[in-house]
Amino acid sequence: MSETQASDTGRVAAILARYPRRDPGDLVNILHDLQAALRYLPESALQETASYLGLSPAHVYGVTTFYHGFHTEPRGEHTCTVCMGTACHVRGAPRLLEQLERDTGVTAGGTTPDLSLTVEEVSCVGACALGPLVLIDDEYHGHMTGERLSRLVDELLKKEEPT
Ligand code: FES
C-alpha cells in the first residue's frame, strides 16, 4: 500500500466514524465528506462505505453516478472550467477551451498527470453578462481573453511545482 493510499484509508475511517449510527440515509452526506477530503471518490472508499452502512457496493456506485457532483476519477488540486453556454459560446468560449486544452495537454473532463489541474466545461452558470466566463476553482473570471487565461493557468501550474 502506498503512503497516499494509507493516509486515504485513515481519512476514510475518520469520516465514517463521524456517522456512528451507520444509517444508510447518511450515504450522500458521507460521500460529500469523502469527496471534500480526497477530491474524488476512490473505489476503495466506496467499498468501505458500502460495507460500513451495510449497503451493496452497486447501490453506493449508483448514488455516485446519479448525482452530478460526485467524481470517481482522480481530480486536480485546481479546476479550470470554461462556460460553454450560449452567451459565452458566441463570445469566444470555444477558442478559450481549445487554448486551455492545448496549454495543459488535457481535454475537457481530464486532469493533468501530476494532478495539478482538472479541465472542465459547463453550460451556463447564470452570469452571462460576464461572458466569456472561466471559473478557477469556484472563482468567476469574467470577460476572459486568451492571454489572461494563459497567465491564470501558468500561475496555477507554477504553484503546484515543487520548491
Ligand atoms: S452562458 Fe456562460 S454564464 Fe451563461
Side-chain angles (χ1 to χ4, degrees):
M1 185 183 283
S2 75
E3 208 172 291
T4 306
Q5 284 170 322
S7 85
D8 282 0
T9 304
R11 282 191 283 179
V12 171
I15 287 166
L16 292 177
R18 293 180 202 158
Y19 297 89
R21 292 183 308 138
R22 297 185 181 227
D23 180 351
D26 287 330
L27 175 60
V28 172
N29 289 335
I30 291 174
L31 294 176
H32 276 296
D33 288 357
L34 288 170
Q35 183 161 284
L38 307 172
R39 296 207 302 262
Y40 80 110
L41 298 169
E43 191 179 332
S44 58
L46 295 180
Q47 279 174 358
E48 203 162 325
T49 302
S51 137
Y52 185 78
L53 296 177
L55 296 168
S56 72
H59 178 86
V60 174
Y61 295 134
V63 170
T64 66
T65 52
F66 181 77
Y67 290 97
H68 176 69
F70 289 131
H71 306 287
T72 54
E73 294 298 322
R75 306 268 303 165
E77 179 81 15
H78 298 284
T79 304
C80 184
T81 308
V82 179
C83 178
M84 296 293 277
T86 306
C88 290
H89 196 280
V90 298
R91 293 180 193 152
R95 278 195 308 279
L96 292 174
L97 182 59
E98 275 172 31
Q99 176 191 313
L100 180 61
E101 291 177 334
R102 227 179 15 253
D103 287 354
T104 58
V106 170
T107 53
T111 298
T112 55
D114 65 356
L115 300 183
S116 59
L117 188 70
T118 294
V119 173
E120 287 195 323
E121 57 182 291
V122 70
S123 53
C124 193
V125 292
C128 308
L130 298 177
L133 182 73
V134 169
L135 288 93
I136 303 290
D137 299 325
D138 292 327
E139 198 176 315
Y140 286 26
H141 295 263
H143 310 297
M144 186 53 66
T145 63
E147 201 179 315
R148 273 179 60 218
L149 182 57
S150 283
R151 267 204 311 272
L152 284 168
V153 169
D154 275 357
E155 280 168 23
L156 287 180
L157 296 178
K158 269 191 202 118
K159 262 194 222 161
E160 299 309 316
E161 281 174 9
T163 51

